[in-house]
Amino acid sequence: MAEPRRRTTRRAPRVLVLRGGTVVDEGGARRADVVVREGRIDAVGPDLGVPGGATVLEADGCLVTPGFVDLHCHLRQPGGETAETVVSASRAAVLGGFTAVVAMPNTEPAIDQASVVREVQALAEDALCEVAVAGAITVGRAGERLAPLGEMAALGVRLFTDDGRGVQDGGVLRRALDYARGLGVTLAEHCEDEAIAGAGLMHEGVWSSRLGLPGRPAAAEEAMVARDLALLRATGGRLHLLHLSSAGSFRLLAAAKAEGLAVTAEVTPHHLALTDACLADFDPVWKVHPPLRGGADVAAAREACASGLVDALATDHAPHPPEAKEVPLDEAAPGMLGLQTAWPVALAALHDGVAPPVGLGGEPDPGSPRLDLVRLVGLLSWQPARIAGLGPEQVGTQGGPIVPGAAANLAVLDPACRWRLEAGALASLSRNSPWLGATLTGRVRHTVVAGEPVVVDGEAQR
Amino acid sequence: MSPSSASPAARWDRRHLLSVADLSRDDLVELLTLSERFAEVGRRPIPKVPALRGRTVGTVFVEASTRTRLSFETAARRLSADVLSFTASSSSLTKGESLRDTVRTIEALGVDCVVVRHGCAGVPTQVARWLGDRVAVVNGGDGWHEHPTQALLDVSTLQQALAARAGVPVEEAGVEGFAGLRVAIVGDVGHSRVARSLVGLLAVLGAKVTLVAPGSLLPASLEGWPLAGVSHDLDAVLGDLDVCYLLRLQTERGAGRFLPSLREYRECFGLSAKRAARLGPDAVVLHPGPMVRGVEIAEEVCEDPRCLVLQQVETGVAVRMAVLYQLLTPGESEEVNRG
């Protein structure tokens, strides 16, 4: 695959120094400065000094990491431009420390053919970060006829999904897995059996029963995970499971991995941080598919991240304008913003072990597993980079390692800064973040994309 | 949220009535007492007091309901309030206007209180959030969530029945008679806003509530609900009841997804004359209406003197007068009969 066309490299300074931080990559953590020259890492080491004419970004007290890679991001273009655009989402992405995002294909029209792939790739030339396009598995995401996966793969598409829904017809998914095998691409499934999920508006359980809201049972997710894994076993393709959320799904995933199936899985920060109890105020900001689940599911999701079972954190960043959210719950669109809050929310849930609801009054829970920072960054960076096909051994643009010669896609993360998320700080065109007004710990200080400092001291530079 | 309210509620702030969880036992007693006094107003030749003169009550009913809307509007008029009525079919909601814009419009017209009925749970809570404290919001029934005034009128009706059974005037009956009262709520509990509100209120009063339904019509979880029991067998509980509360069965539930047929439901869970004969002479039958005769309740049982359905309707107006009065005259509760 060719390197993506991007206009941004022209804006990179000739020499950039990230000074005084702790470099974290797959090789571990060490105190080091990083010198970037012409968009590539030139030198890494302690006290390197500043070459004449270099731009300096201070990184004291911070982690200098490979940029985050979001496998699951709704950019809403084409068709949903009142909610988000490729450029506005990319600005939110870099503010969140992401240097690459995968654009989900549930646009209008869907990204289900070469022409739409090209359209989004063209829009991405103005993006602040790298944008990898995901294609639909079926035409119009209708779950009936295979989309031209080969044509789209030829344009660089590495991930195919009908996200927003799973492929409901197992016979169709089976053939898709067979077909995709020959292309070397990955199919990604939104696992919810629609016949079981029905018209459910939240997780089915104690809270849906109390609140009188129709439930989406965990069984809707687990039934499709089980079916998809059985199909994967039969076809030998490669499958990625999007936003797993229920304890039963993690048990199925563990068995499948133990068996050696080529399956990967992601979890969203919100499923690690929030529970179905949030719905008690009936605010549609909490409505998301799969739904926020019970405390035992959240604990299982954290454990699955800590044990290494889960491969990646992904935001499922899903912008919606007020007219899609300030409505009764049964009319409200599912989804929440995630790009700008992924780092502090993941840090609180997986490193500090803060009990849900994270950022909204939750206290540290001694029973919650604690991930060290290297592994936490791995879940956000090199691990998803590999699933996206952008990783160190692939295209090589994302996920590190931070060594001379590597592409300079970097994030500088402050793990201690406490800050309040104000609506005005959201780069997204939408405002549907569950953390508006919340105080969060951990902030993205700088982001460097192909050598260009696109975020400096928490401010987007364009 | 009410069925789970474990700790006693703080005193009602009288800004909105969104859930029975808003009400403490003292608030409930106060509302029942007030309601009894308003029932007396209803029996006057001219059933009207000037308590809310100059105030405006709006009703926003986005889900079809004539009975509840008429009951609220009658209550408002008997208190001399002006009434603005919005229904889904006649309003701009059918022209694509959002509910939020409709609510803003109604606020701009100058209402003091708005009664909200909606097919989706939580809408009255959302409306209250949109309006802040500028307008009092009453939950007139939201999805499967709650119907607080229905539960209040049910409790008020039961209080009257308990007073009659004890041979004392209602004013002196109090709520002690609810302690240990054996109540069965029969039918489609899962999809019932009435059941969720009623379970909450009866628990506050110390009644022992048993839910009776097939598994497909029960909520997915009953964790935290203050219940004496759950049964799938009406005949097993019938002999030991003080109150048999029948829920309406929406006929589409009988189409095969929740129930094999309406006939099977009637056979297993309908209150037939034969089953009614097993109820004690002092037992009472309640139903929130509208009744589906021949399904959850047999024709003959509707006419049984132990069936208090019409008394419930009458009580509904008085209870809603009490609620509107409490919301719109903070601190004036001793002046009900002024003028």
Side-chain angles (χ1 to χ4, degrees), chain A residues 195 198 201 204-215 280-284 323 325-331, chain B residues 1 3-4 99-100 104 118-123 125-126 129-130 142-145 196 219-221 223-225 257:
Chain A
L201 303 173
E204 181 173 286
V206 173
W207 280 99
S208 68
S209 300
R210 289 178 192 176
L211 299 171
L213 285 166
D281 68 2
F282 296 103
D283 191 331
E323 59 268 26
K325 278 294 195 183
E326 291 175 5
V327 294
L329 272 160
D330 59 352
E331 297 168 26
Chain B
M1 223 178 317
S4 62
L99 180 64
R100 184 163 189 174
R104 282 195 183 120
H118 201 283
C120 183
V123 168
T125 306
Q126 291 178 281
R129 195 154 50 227
W130 294 337
D142 60 329
W144 312 337
H145 177 226
R196 283 181 179 76
S221 167
E223 190 183 323
W225 290 43
R257 261 185 109 77

Side-chain angles (χ1 to χ4, degrees), chain A residues 327-395:
Chain A
V327 294
L329 272 160
D330 59 352
E331 297 168 26
M336 50 179 68
L337 302 184
L339 286 168
Q340 284 181 252
T341 49
W343 167 243
V345 172
L347 187 69
L350 293 178
H351 180 68
D352 299 328
V354 176
V358 166
L360 304 166
E363 294 292 322
D365 169 9
S368 188
R370 307 287 180 99
L371 265 76
D372 66 50
L373 290 169
V374 177
R375 293 189 57 210
L376 180 59
V377 172
L379 282 169
L380 285 157
S381 179
W382 48 90
Q383 292 181 205
R386 289 196 175 100
I387 297 168
L390 303 170
E393 308 80 12
Q394 300 152 321
V395 175

